[in-house]
Amino acid sequence: YRQLRQLKRFIVLSHEDAQEWTELDNVEVIHNPLPFFPDQISDNSHKQVIAVGRYVPQKGFDRLIPAWQLVARKHPDWILRIYGDGMREQLQQQIDSLGITASCILEPTVSNIVDKYCESSIFALSSRFEGFGMVIIEAMACGVPVPAARGILSATEKTVCW
């Protein structure tokens, strides 16, 4: 703690984090900024799930796509739209081979992502790891529920919705 006290400011991301450092008098809260402040929110009436991120292995879309196949069987009227750019060919081949091209759609990165969040009713985060998932707060700011679980899902874990 002695070295931390020598800092001009010790920055944390939330007031809850600040409570963990009561022995320091140089703690300051600076929240991660939202890149936008939506004028609208989703009414959650569209049967659409949204995922957003680069098409790279870290984002786990290769795991989300086969999971979506299971969802599509039980809920054929729902659509998954994945917005991003990157290794599109591999993901599209996976979608094609699973026969879910009508309900699982790879979309390019768009400048009006707020509109896309607001057209959706559920946000799916399939990342293998994230430092801080900005897309989670983007979705929540647009009123889109974010199902979440602690760690890797197992049959005994419960899923919660923020």
Side-chain angles (χ1 to χ4, degrees):
Y1 293 113
R2 188 176 55 166
Q3 291 176 329
L4 295 177
R5 285 189 182 104
Q6 294 174 3
L7 298 173
K8 185 173 181 176
R9 297 277 186 255
F10 181 72
I11 306 300
V12 296
L13 295 177
S14 71
H15 293 289
E16 291 81 13
D17 290 340
Q19 294 302 314
E20 299 293 322
W21 299 95
T22 56
E23 58 279 343
L24 299 176
D25 60 2
N26 58 348
V27 176
E28 188 169 328
V29 176
I30 300 177
H31 300 281
N32 271 332
L34 258 176
F36 56 77
F37 293 96
D39 294 329
Q40 58 184 341
I41 61 170
S42 173
D43 64 7
N44 296 308
S45 65
H46 297 99
K47 293 184 177 185
Q48 181 169 289
V49 175
I50 186 173
V52 179
R54 293 169 291 121
Y55 298 159
V56 295
Q58 173 193 342
K59 301 303 180 183
F61 296 134
D62 61 313
R63 299 186 309 179
L64 179 59
I65 291 167
W68 183 256
Q69 181 187 36
L70 301 174
V71 173
R73 283 184 194 146
K74 290 188 174 192
H75 304 281
D77 52 340
W78 279 74
I79 292 177
L80 168 63
R81 293 188 186 276
I82 306 173
Y83 290 87
D85 287 308
M87 48 181 257
R88 182 181 201 87
E89 293 89 26
Q90 297 96 317
L91 296 175
Q92 189 61 56
Q93 287 173 356
Q94 189 179 20
I95 291 166
D96 295 344
S97 69
L98 293 173
I100 55 174
T101 56
S103 70
C104 185
I105 302 164
L106 298 178
E107 300 280 7
T109 300
V110 296
S111 60
N112 62 333
I113 195 65
V114 171
D115 295 337
K116 304 307 176 186
Y117 280 120
C118 291
E119 294 168 3
S120 304
S121 294
I122 299 173
F123 176 80
L125 181 72
S126 55
S127 297
R128 287 178 166 82
F129 58 92
E130 288 288 342
F132 181 79
M134 288 295 293
V135 290
I136 294 173
I137 60 171
E138 290 174 3
M140 293 173 67
C142 293
V144 180
V146 180
R150 227 180 233 171
I152 298 172
L153 279 177
S154 71
T156 59
E157 290 185 69
K158 294 182 178 175
T159 300
V160 296
C161 193
W162 295 346

